[in-house]
Each structure stands twice: as C-alpha cells, then as structure tokens.
Amino acid sequence: MLYQGRPTYHAIIIARPDLPITRFPEDAQGRSISFADAGSTSGWLIPHHWFMTRGMDPRSFFRYRDGASHAANVISVASGQVDLATDFDRNLAAMIAAGRIRQDQVKVVWRSDPLPNDALAVRRDVDLGLKSAITQAALAITEAQALQVMPPHYTGRVAATPETYAPIEAAGRALGRLSVT
C-alpha cells in the first residue's frame, strides 16, 4: 500500500515528554513500558527484535507489560499511566490529527527502520491467472481513484517482492514467530 504516497511506515516507541531520555534505551531502563499485542508487527515484533539484536530483553530491562492496542498504548503514555509504549508513526499521527491526544503529550524516543505498509495477499493455491488479474487491478488504481475507493490517506499500491518483507520475516524467525517452510 501507499500511504500518503509512501510505501513504508515506522514502528516507534513513545514516552512521556517530561522524562529525561536523551539516550535510548539507556535512560529508560527500569521505566514502565507497554508493548502492543504480540500479533502486532510494529507494536511487538519489530521492537522486540531490535532489543534482541542488542542482547537485551525488554521484559527484564523495563517494567514490562504487553497486549494493549496501539490506541490504548498512546493514551496510556499521554495520560501518564505508563512511561513508554510501542506504536507506529501512522497511528500516532492519526490520533493527533483526530484530537484524541495533543502532540505535546508524547515524544518519540525510538524509530525503526522503514517497514512495508499493508500487503494484499492471496493463498498459495489460488490460480495463477487470478493472482495476476488481482495484482494488475490493484496496481492500476490511480491516486485519484484511491481517494474515492480506499480509506483516507491511502494513495494506491506498488508491487512488492519477497525482499520487501524480508526484515519482518527475519524478525519473526529470530523470535520464533515464524518457522522455516
């Protein structure tokens, strides 16, 4: 998917703006953190993988909890219920734009490498001709058409390759969430 013309988004960790965090994660050790549900790429998988690649376990580095929605995480930080939480940049921007929180109620202390936006996927056993027709139809949607038929801010699609999703697959395999097939 293209979102505001971009094929990527970022996982983020937000913090209360009053916290003296200039070096992350060092300055946040021992603070309370809320990770999103374990099924979330940006709210669980990618942040956990980032910590793992640094030899750190967020469950012992922070006062850890998980399972919240992205919106609940943002509101928990903005209202001071937790010190830090995981989210994704598009969600935070949407919540600010909708007036659910003010921009000055949170600060971003960590941002992932770019992640691919939402995928359009079909089962492996779907007829190749049908797969090709679906792909062609999806890629043919112009920005003007996207404004009419897609949710707000979605502006079309671009072709993906297995390499597009390789970082997510690698994180899933490293954390035991995906098995080699």
Side-chain angles (χ1 to χ4, degrees):
M1 294 289 288
L2 292 173
Y3 187 87
Q4 295 179 338
R6 292 185 303 269
T8 60
Y9 73 104
H10 297 89
I12 58 175
I13 295 178
I14 58 173
R16 292 190 353 249
D18 62 316
L19 295 179
I21 299 174
T22 55
R23 295 175 307 128
F24 185 83
E26 297 85 356
D27 295 341
Q29 187 169 11
R31 299 270 183 194
S32 61
I33 192 168
S34 178
F35 274 65
D37 180 86
S40 172
T41 298
S42 58
W44 196 93
L45 181 69
I46 296 301
H48 266 273
H49 185 250
W50 184 83
F51 281 105
M52 185 193 88
T53 62
R54 282 148 185 81
M56 303 167 75
D57 181 356
R59 290 179 177 97
S60 59
F61 190 80
F62 299 104
R63 291 188 328 256
Y64 178 94
R65 70 181 193 199
D66 65 17
S69 70
H70 286 275
N73 269 354
V74 173
I75 290 169
S76 292
V77 171
S79 65
Q81 295 172 30
V82 294
D83 296 324
L84 304 117
T86 61
D87 194 22
F88 61 103
D89 55 1
R90 289 179 9 211
N91 181 65
L92 179 60
M95 290 185 71
I96 292 168
R100 294 190 66 194
I101 67 156
R102 294 183 325 272
Q103 190 164 356
D104 65 354
Q105 289 181 286
V106 300
K107 66 180 177 181
V108 175
V109 294
W110 175 82
R111 182 178 313 273
S112 72
D113 290 336
L115 300 168
N117 282 331
D118 315 343
L120 175 61
V122 296
R123 292 188 329 262
R124 287 182 183 170
D125 63 347
V126 170
D127 175 76
L128 286 177
L130 180 56
K131 283 182 187 179
S132 178
I134 291 169
T135 299
Q136 289 174 10
L139 294 175
I141 295 173
T142 66
E143 187 171 343
Q145 291 168 329
L147 294 173
Q148 295 176 346
V149 300
M150 293 178 142
H153 306 290
Y154 286 91
T155 54
R157 293 186 177 274
V158 293
T161 66
E163 291 76 34
T164 303
Y165 289 89
I168 295 171
E169 277 191 54
R173 290 187 202 298
L175 291 169
R177 297 293 174 161
L178 289 176
S179 60
V180 177
T181 56

